[in-house]
Amino acid sequence: MPETPYFVSYHEAIKILENQPLPLPTEFVPLDEGHNRVLSEDLESKVDDPRFDNSAMDGFAFRYQDSLTPPTRLSIIHTLQAGTKQTPKPVAKGQAVRIMTGAPMPEGADAILPIERCEVNDENTTLTIDEEGKKHFIRKQGENLSEGQIALSKGALLTPSSIGLCATMGHPKIPVFQKATIGILSTGDELQLPGTQLNENEIYESNSFGLAGLVKWSGHTPKRYNSVVDSIDKLRIKLDMAAEECDLILTSGGVSMGDWDLVRKIMEEEGEIKFWRVKIRPGSPPLFGYWKGVPIFGLPGNPASSHVVFRMLVAPYLRASTGGGGIEERRIRVQLAESFKSDEKFLVLRRIKVDASGDQLLAYSTGYQGSGNLNSLVLADALTLLEPGHSGEKGTWCDAILL
Ligand code: AMP
Ligand code: MG
């Protein structure tokens, strides 16, 4: 039995992980490459947004005072379009300027009417309006953002809209956390690559492919190795190689209590374990520690478990490593539409289908919940978070995380 924290609660495991995040340096990427990256510094705006008072409508700008007793006739003095090079002429009493969306407000004017509410004579010289001008069609300088304001903070995930905002703020390059290279190493004598001939008692190796997808989903770079057989010496060679080439290592399989669980054995004898076993179901066997100074998660071999453990332990660890941000775990509150097996001591993560057609979100099981049953995960929308001691009874409520 290791002296390190053993069979910890989920919250204890998270605390241990968050206390020693992966150190990820900053790199600057062009805006075009910013999608799905995570900001490593607060970002200040280099400009006011809007930069100047401008029109929100195609229409006419004039003095509000002039429009108080409709119908009003005003003389049109010139036209302003967005990006105009002319200096707008001041608008005097009785005058109007034809204005396009985004064009600067001319001095003196403090109201707008959209073109469809205006009548213009054939010569384009006189405007007649039957209502008061509207002040709210003026977009005021700095009403969205002022120069120097932090609009996006460290840890922000760069979505299409936030990348647009980086450009609005005047940044051609953005500081983001470097992606971690994450090595993925499956273990097991029985594992063969899909496409090869299976001998007796062999199966297709699936975890490394699923985990590589999860690594990409979390915004990092997977480095998938071919699986290693159950041999301490072979495992040591592969772990050393992964430690040289990667920032973080994920192994799958060989981490439980069995005689052939060599990842656990080699970590006990030659590595540094920070915790082993966590009170979550499925997926109680995992360990976290360091191999030659490189952080390593030993994930369970059962395919559904390895996926669930990535979502529950590796993803929060990676979020802690990127300023507490990145791909978020989206939580929903569901009502159990059938009874689920829960546990006094374990956080239970059942694979559920969520019916959103009624007033509340209803959770149904995706069927047999064996930890080797990947299909039940494929069918699932979410995982329940049945806290230790939750009854799991039909009609009760719990949080769930969307997959
Ligand atoms: P283990 O944790 O090594 O005892 O493996 C638990 C179960 O998961 C066994 O039935 C293994 O055959 C299976 N398994 C382990 N690794 C993988 C993998 N990479 N792909 C598919 N199944 C696996
Ligand atoms: Mg095994």
Side-chain angles (χ1 to χ4, degrees):
M1 203 118 315
E3 297 144 21
T4 43
Y6 173 69
F7 231 143
V8 293
S9 74
Y10 179 63
H11 299 287
E12 282 167 323
I14 290 293
K15 215 186 302 161
I16 291 169
L17 294 172
E18 287 180 346
N19 278 339
Q20 48 201 316
L22 201 56
L24 291 175
T26 289
E27 65 178 343
F28 281 81
V29 295
L31 281 180
D32 280 327
E33 289 162 29
H35 179 65
N36 248 355
R37 302 299 297 269
V38 183
L39 267 191
S40 61
E41 292 165 19
D42 293 345
L43 215 56
E44 286 183 6
S45 184
K46 292 174 184 284
V47 290
D48 286 339
D49 174 38
R51 280 199 61 222
F52 42 84
D53 290 1
N54 69 87
S55 176
M57 291 286 162
D58 293 324
F60 285 89
F62 44 83
R63 292 153 59 110
Y64 176 70
Q65 274 296 329
D66 288 356
S67 67
L68 290 179
T69 48
T72 307
R73 302 188 69 186
L74 301 168
S75 59
I76 301 170
I77 56 168
H78 72 153
T79 301
L80 288 173
Q81 76 277 27
T84 180
K85 299 282 181 289
Q86 14 169 1
T87 316
K89 288 183 202 160
V91 176
K93 190 169 167 28
Q95 294 182 331
V97 163
R98 184 187 284 270
I99 197 164
M100 309 301 149
T101 306
M105 281 301 286
E107 204 187 308
D110 58 354
I112 302 258
L113 260 193
I115 188 78
E116 56 274 24
R117 302 198 211 165
C118 297
E119 213 183 295
V120 181
N121 67 346
D122 289 345
E123 294 77 35
N124 251 326
T125 53
T126 307
L127 165 72
T128 308
I129 51 176
D130 285 330
E131 58 185 301
E132 288 179 12
K134 303 291 179 270
K135 296 194 176 197
H136 63 261
F137 288 142
I138 302 168
R139 302 190 285 212
K140 292 288 194 186
Q141 179 174 354
E143 74 181 7
N144 302 331
L145 277 182
S146 45
E147 189 182 328
Q149 187 180 334
I150 293 168
L152 291 168
S153 305
K154 177 179 173 178
L157 177 71
L158 294 171
T159 59
S161 56
S162 54
I163 288 178
L165 191 58
C166 292
T168 299
M169 295 194 289
H171 295 275
K173 289 187 165 190
I174 30 187
V176 294
F177 288 101
Q178 258 177 34
K179 291 185 185 189
T181 300
I182 303 183
I184 302 167
L185 188 54
S186 286
T187 69
D189 286 340
E190 73 280 31
L191 306 175
Q192 294 295 347
L193 280 174
T196 53
Q197 184 65 41
L198 290 179
N199 296 314
E200 210 176 341
N201 302 328
E202 291 180 343
I203 60 168
Y204 291 125
E205 195 277 297
S206 63
N207 288 349
S208 71
F209 297 98
L211 289 168
L214 284 162
V215 166
K216 286 186 195 163
W217 165 82
S218 66
H220 298 279
T221 308
K223 188 168 176 60
R224 214 182 49 73
Y225 295 94
N226 284 341
S227 66
V228 57
V229 293
D230 291 317
S231 137
I232 285 278
D233 288 337
K234 297 251 164 65
L235 192 55
R236 186 185 302 110
I237 290 170
K238 268 286 177 62
L239 286 174
D240 283 347
M241 183 194 280
E244 279 288 317
E245 296 174 343
C246 305
D247 304 307
L248 169 68
I249 304 168
L250 309 179
T251 62
S252 99
V255 80
S256 312
M257 326 275 282
D259 291 346
W260 291 97
D261 287 328
L262 301 184
V263 172
R264 190 237 329 138
K265 219 169 210 166
I266 199 172
M267 282 298 292
E268 277 174 358
E269 286 163 10
E270 303 175 35
E272 188 189 347
I273 299 179
K274 293 295 179 185
F275 66 71
W276 176 42
R277 306 199 75 191
V278 181
K279 289 182 188 140
I280 57 174
R281 193 158 279 156
S284 60
L287 66 75
F288 173 73
Y290 291 85
W291 178 264
K292 311 272 159 82
V294 177
I296 178 169
F297 282 89
L299 305 180
N302 277 308
S305 304
S306 72
H307 190 112
V308 167
V309 172
F310 185 101
R311 289 297 294 254
M312 298 306 292
L313 295 177
V314 184
Y317 171 75
L318 292 172
R319 275 197 294 278
S321 307
T322 50
I327 298 282
E328 271 176 51
E329 223 48 287
R330 303 222 177 241
R331 281 195 186 209
I332 52 174
R333 187 95 182 136
V334 294
Q335 188 177 30
L336 306 182
E338 55 189 276
S339 289
F340 286 81
K341 195 160 182 293
S342 54
D343 194 281
E344 267 306 311
K345 299 209 170 76
F346 284 63
L347 173 68
V348 178
L349 308 144
R350 297 287 174 220
R351 285 144 257 171
I352 53 170
K353 193 102 205 118
V354 178
D355 177 1
S357 61
D359 290 342
Q360 48 241 358
L361 300 177
L362 290 176
Y364 293 88
S365 170
T366 57
Y368 173 60
Q369 301 268 317
S371 52
N373 183 6
L374 257 192
N375 196 38
S376 65
L377 195 58
V378 171
L379 297 172
D381 300 315
L383 294 173
T384 62
L385 294 170
L386 288 166
E387 293 288 339
H390 191 293
S391 74
E393 272 168 27
K394 179 179 175 176
T396 59
W397 292 78
C398 72
D399 283 353
I401 58 169
L402 288 172
L403 288 171

